[in-house]
Amino acid sequence: MSQHVADPPASPVVRPPSLLRDRNFVLLWSGQTVSELGTRIAGVAVPLLAADTLHASVFQVSLLTFLAWLPYLLVSLPAGILADRTDQRKLMILCDLGRAALMLSLPVAALVGQLTLGFLYAVVGLSGVLTVLFTVAYKSMLPALIPAAQLVDGNAKLTMSQDAAELVGPTLSGVLIGLVGAARTFLANGLAFLVSALTLLLIRPGPRAGSGTGPSSGPSSGPSSGPDPAAPAERVPLRVQMTDGLAFVRRQRILLSILACTTTSNFWVMAASSIEVTFMVRELRASSVQVGVVFSVSAVGGLVVGALAARLSAWIGSARVIWVSMATPGPLYLLMPLARPGWGVLLYGIGLAAFSANAVLFNVASTTYRQRITPPAILGRVNAAFLWICFGVIPLGALVGGALGTALGLRTALLVCVLGTWSACLFVVFSPLRRMRDTPDPA
């Protein structure tokens, strides 16, 4: 009689430790939460300072938005080279300190009677340049700070900070402006950037968390490291270096599809954003309080999905969720042009909440995919290429939205914009992502 031999015990599933126990990530997350809050405060205070204190015209106020986004077209590609070749953490600290100085200069200029519209333009433009440099370095630093298996969770938490700031920032800005005036409100904005710089300063550079785990993980330098300055790539002409990121994206069919999807979505979202407040006020006869409630409702959608992003990604699949998140919520966008006066204005909020949820889940998943498949040595340039194209269409989208609203009427123009936003999903639905469940191992 043969003897039955028991099966060996199954290996226990090792779960990575919570990011809330990762000192470096918690410092980065807390600093960026405060920084995002300060940015949202400034987003309300800047146009009010121009319109009320400096008596700027409608066109002059609109130039502030143009100047804030223009640096993404002008400096994104060189910012990618800088992020790949310098200490990313120190670059981010310098950008935070520079933005703090620029924001704090506004109340000082107002105090001495030297605050002019030209000075405000200069502050907004220079701050935009520093924001581009910071953003490229920031998106390139995270994969070196936490294990690859936790990128989805890390990106989700950082994105949640943006939605939380969007929920609280405008209201807080309005309260501060009412208490101390628009110019002094920038003291809070400057303080937020100083807090961000302090948290970055407290991060301890070291070996990447979790290095050596997984079949493709190898030794890696800390978050502040970049390519070896003595490497042969340094001798490559600057023009070629600036297009390295674009060349890499062109060779990656999935990345190219994600780029096309994001760019198309940004274009039509900005077109809708340029007319949405006018639509709510004129077509829906919404009060300023109702408009504020609508935007708060939309931020809740992003917060809820951000909290569940890691679980949703694991359940749906870290690659599949990219196209699912873009395609599924689309029908709810139609609630925005269908909104009516009175309680019907909440339909607009529900539609915006659906888009906010989609944006959070898609951005988390697509950013994680990009971080995982891009070689660390060119991640800064690839991130810069995305920013250059995706954010470069934003000013054009705003112009198209205004033109459509004038030519077709606000409701019809808004319908065109939301259909355009939903159509962006076609780029990822009809891509190799549809046949994938999860993203590949890190590059």
Side-chain angles (χ1 to χ4, degrees):
M1 175 182 276
S2 61
Q3 184 178 5
H4 175 72
V5 179
D7 294 331
S11 300
V13 177
V14 179
R15 295 182 181 274
S18 170
L19 285 177
L20 297 179
R21 297 180 181 178
D22 187 316
R23 178 181 182 275
N24 285 343
F25 178 79
V26 169
L27 283 170
L28 177 68
W29 187 24
S30 57
Q32 290 319 294
T33 301
V34 176
S35 177
E36 288 288 344
L37 181 61
T39 300
R40 295 308 187 278
I41 290 174
V44 174
V46 165
L48 284 177
L49 180 65
D52 294 344
T53 305
L54 302 178
H55 308 293
S57 67
V58 172
F59 177 74
Q60 288 173 324
V61 173
S62 69
L63 282 178
L64 290 167
T65 302
F66 174 77
L67 289 171
W69 289 102
L70 183 62
Y72 285 96
L73 276 173
L74 299 181
V75 301
S76 285
L77 295 182
I81 297 176
L82 189 61
D84 281 337
R85 301 196 178 282
T86 61
D87 185 320
Q88 293 165 357
R89 184 175 65 103
K90 290 180 180 178
L91 177 60
M92 293 164 66
I93 292 171
L94 289 174
C95 289
D96 270 338
L97 293 176
R99 291 188 292 180
L102 287 168
M103 294 299 106
L104 294 173
S105 72
L106 291 172
V108 172
L111 184 64
V112 299
Q114 298 298 316
L115 182 59
T116 63
L117 194 57
F119 186 84
L120 183 59
Y121 284 156
V123 167
V124 169
L126 291 173
S127 181
V129 171
L130 294 176
T131 297
V132 173
L133 291 171
F134 183 95
T135 303
V136 172
Y138 165 58
K139 289 181 177 294
S140 306
M141 176 182 171
L142 185 64
L145 198 66
I146 62 176
Q150 291 179 301
L151 280 175
V152 171
D153 191 23
N155 282 315
K157 284 179 167 58
L158 291 167
T159 304
M160 283 174 60
S161 294
Q162 298 173 5
D163 283 283
E166 186 68 38
L167 181 65
V168 177
T171 302
L172 181 59
S173 182
V175 172
L176 289 173
I177 292 170
L179 291 175
V180 300
R184 292 188 181 90
T185 299
F186 289 96
L187 292 171
N189 193 222
L191 179 61
F193 287 130
L194 290 176
V195 170
S196 175
L198 178 61
T199 58
L200 289 168
L201 190 64
L202 292 174
I203 289 176
R204 297 170 182 165
R208 185 171 76 175
S211 61
T213 60
S216 63
S217 296
S220 173
S221 58
S224 61
S225 64
D228 181 2
E234 293 287 342
R235 293 191 291 271
V236 176
L238 182 63
R239 178 182 60 82
V240 176
Q241 294 180 45
M242 288 179 61
T243 58
D244 276 350
L246 291 171
F248 180 81
V249 172
R250 282 199 301 268
R251 294 193 299 269
Q252 300 286 332
R253 184 181 172 189
I254 292 177
L255 269 189
L256 198 59
S257 299
I258 291 173
L259 176 61
C261 174
T262 309
T263 303
T264 304
S265 179
N266 281 358
F267 178 89
W268 288 111
V269 166
M270 185 51 63
S273 297
S274 68
I275 60 174
E276 63 184 1
V277 173
T278 308
F279 172 77
M280 283 188 277
V281 171
R282 295 183 180 176
E283 295 287 331
L284 306 184
R285 297 189 291 277
S287 66
S288 58
V289 174
Q290 288 175 314
V291 172
V293 168
V294 165
F295 287 121
S296 294
V297 167
S298 72
V300 169
L303 280 172
V304 171
V305 170
L308 300 174
R311 294 181 183 179
L312 288 172
S313 180
W315 177 51
I316 299 173
S318 57
R320 186 186 296 153
V321 74
I322 295 175
W323 66 265
V324 169
S325 64
M326 285 298 295
T328 304
L332 292 176
Y333 302 165
L334 298 175
L335 294 176
M336 291 188 274
L338 293 176
R340 290 293 184 269
W343 286 103
V345 74
L346 289 178
L347 292 177
Y348 199 99
I350 295 171
L352 268 185
F355 174 76
S356 178
N358 142 248
V360 169
L361 195 54
F362 173 79
N363 288 337
V364 167
S366 61
T367 299
T368 301
Y369 180 88
R370 186 167 77 241
Q371 290 168 339
R372 286 178 66 91
I373 72 154
T374 304
I378 63 167
L379 181 56
R381 278 163 281 179
V382 170
N383 285 329
F386 264 74
L387 290 177
W388 184 56
I389 296 174
C390 296
F391 287 2
V393 301
I394 285 179
L396 182 59
L399 292 176
V400 169
L404 287 175
T406 302
L408 305 177
L410 291 171
R411 193 178 294 275
T412 303
L414 192 60
L415 177 61
V416 171
C417 292
V418 298
L419 289 175
T421 301
W422 192 15
S423 73
C425 75
L426 297 176
F427 289 104
V428 285
V429 169
F430 295 103
S431 77
L433 284 169
R434 198 155 49 93
R435 298 186 296 273
M436 298 169 57
R437 187 187 189 279
D438 293 303
T439 55
D441 290 332

